[in-house]
Amino acid sequence: MLTKKSTFARNFRYFREKAQLGQEALAEKIGVNVRTISVYETGKGYPKVDLLIKISSILEVPVEHFFADNPENAGRAAKSSTTGLSLSEGSDAFETVQRYRNAIKACQHLIENGNTEACQSLISSFISAVDELETTYMRNKEIEAKLRYATELISSIANGGKPFNK
C-alpha cells in the first residue's frame, strides 16, 4: 500500500513524464532547483500550495490528480452513486464528482501532514468553484424556463390562441 507521500511522488513523476518534461526543464519553468524536483519525486517532500498550483498549470493536470490512487485513470473510472444510478465515464457530472473526490483526498493529505493553512486555502478555492457552478446552474435553469415559456407561447399562438390573455 502506498503512503500519501509515495502516491504524490509517483503521480508527480508520471505527470511530468507524460508532459515530456525533464526534471531540469520543469525546475526551470517553476523557478526551483532541479534537486527540488528530485525531492518531490522521491517522496521526501511536497511543494507548497502556490507552487503546486503553478506545477498543475504547467503540466495541465488538476491539482487533485497528484493525490489520486491511479494517475492513469484520475477522474475517469465509472462510479455508482448512492442512488444506484451510475455516472457515465467522460460526462461532465462524472468528471466533476471525480475532481471533488480527489480534491477531498488532497485536503485529507494536507491535514494529515499538519498543513491546515494550505488545506483552508484549497477549501476556499473549492467554495469559489462551487459558487460559480451554482451560479451557472441557476442561469441555465433560468434560460431553460424562458425557453420552455417561449415554446409554450409559440405553440399557443400556432394553435390559434392569443399570446397574452387579459
Side-chain angles (χ1 to χ4, degrees):
M1 181 174 196
L2 294 174
T3 65
K4 295 289 182 186
K5 279 187 178 183
S6 60
T7 297
F8 175 82
R10 177 202 60 204
N11 294 356
F12 180 83
R13 182 175 182 169
Y14 172 82
F15 292 123
R16 177 186 58 77
E17 290 175 347
K18 187 174 180 182
Q20 299 179 336
L21 282 175
Q23 287 185 341
E24 289 180 3
L26 180 58
E28 186 176 313
K29 284 182 178 268
I30 63 173
V32 298
N33 187 301
V34 70
R35 286 175 283 171
T36 303
I37 301 299
S38 180
V39 166
Y40 300 156
E41 290 188 0
T42 58
K44 295 178 183 171
Y46 302 101
K48 292 188 180 211
V49 172
D50 58 336
L51 188 56
L52 181 56
I53 291 169
K54 188 174 184 179
I55 292 166
S56 170
S57 176
I58 289 167
L59 297 180
E60 297 179 356
V61 175
V63 170
E64 62 271 15
H65 286 198
F66 289 101
F67 301 95
D69 292 333
N70 185 346
E72 294 92 1
N73 296 324
R76 305 238 190 292
K79 298 274 185 192
S80 293
S81 70
T82 55
T83 62
L85 300 173
S86 64
L87 298 171
S88 61
E89 184 175 337
S91 72
D92 289 342
F94 175 77
E95 294 296 325
T96 301
V97 167
Q98 288 303 104
R99 282 195 305 274
Y100 284 119
R101 285 184 195 281
N102 289 329
I104 289 167
K105 287 180 185 177
C107 278
Q108 287 171 329
H109 167 75
L110 290 169
I111 289 170
E112 287 169 6
N113 288 291
N115 199 343
T116 55
E117 187 176 311
C119 185
Q120 186 59 45
S121 173
L122 202 52
I123 288 171
S124 294
S125 296
F126 300 150
I127 290 170
S128 295
V130 168
D131 288 347
E132 189 175 315
L133 285 171
E134 183 178 35
T135 300
T136 301
Y137 173 79
M138 295 306 288
R139 194 174 311 127
N140 288 343
K141 285 295 186 187
E142 181 182 331
I143 291 168
E144 183 181 309
K146 287 178 180 178
L147 287 172
R148 193 171 30 253
Y149 174 74
T151 302
E152 290 171 5
L153 184 61
I154 291 168
S155 176
S156 173
I157 293 170
N159 291 321
K162 294 183 180 178
F164 300 101
N165 292 329
K166 291 186 179 182

